[in-house]
Amino acid sequence: MGDNIFLKIIRKEIPADIVYEDDDILAFRDIHPLAPVHILIIPKKPIASVASLEAADGPLVGKMFLVAQGIARDLNISEKGYKLLIRVGRDGGQEVPHLHLHLIGGARLTENIHPV
Ligand code: AMP
């Protein structure tokens, strides 16, 4: 797998507004936020997308969702709600080939998923 912008953020080669980090997971604010809260939760392990997950990655993916839950609580958007989004591959609109979970909230969100 080649290099990409999220691997550079993991290696701290380029800056990011990090809101959570542990040995397995990094979470940082999206550079082009779609809402007041827009955070990307990524595994440190280089996984290109949901399409390339292996059975052994199950606990790591589960942890990504638990981290999202915790960040939402910390930012006080848990009760009002939020959107979690994962794009997969070209037709899914995935731009960065490193698995990432979007946590989007802080405002009432409209549906905005149309075929191209
Ligand atoms: P996706 O379209 O699901 O692959 O989402 C990629 C996301 O990464 C987009 O929402 C971008 O705004 C975001 N993004 C790209 N480069 C950066 C960066 N350097 N720091 C933070 N977010 C980024």
Side-chain angles (χ1 to χ4, degrees), residues 68-69 71-82 105-106 108:
Q69 178 198 60
I71 293 170
R73 280 189 188 142
D74 289 347
L75 297 180
N76 289 315
I77 61 169
S78 236
E79 274 185 35
K80 285 191 172 171
Y82 47 91
R108 185 68 65 91

Side-chain angles (χ1 to χ4, degrees), residues 5-6 9 14 28-32 38 40 87 93-96 100 102:
I5 194 126
F6 289 175
I9 288 173
I14 63 168
F28 52 92
R29 292 188 189 275
D30 196 294
I31 205 165
H32 298 302
H38 189 168
L40 301 172
R87 298 193 173 98
Q94 183 180 357
E95 290 173 7
V96 180
H100 50 285
H102 294 255

Side-chain angles (χ1 to χ4, degrees), residues 11-76:
R11 296 197 302 262
K12 309 282 167 67
E13 290 171 7
I14 63 168
D17 187 354
I18 293 170
V19 298
Y20 177 88
E21 179 167 19
D22 66 25
D23 287 346
D24 304 313
I25 307 272
L26 188 68
F28 52 92
R29 292 188 189 275
D30 196 294
I31 205 165
H32 298 302
L34 299 173
V37 173
H38 189 168
I39 288 161
L40 301 172
I41 296 141
I42 70 173
K44 290 187 173 177
K45 179 181 176 183
I47 298 171
S49 83
V50 168
S52 51
L53 283 172
E54 298 168 357
D57 296 321
L60 179 60
V61 173
K63 190 171 179 184
M64 289 170 66
F65 281 85
L66 291 171
V67 167
Q69 178 198 60
I71 293 170
R73 280 189 188 142
D74 289 347
L75 297 180
N76 289 315

Side-chain angles (χ1 to χ4, degrees), residues 87-95 112-116:
R87 298 193 173 98
V88 185
R90 186 195 61 187
D91 280 5
Q94 183 180 357
E95 290 173 7
N112 191 24
I113 300 171
H114 302 293
V116 176

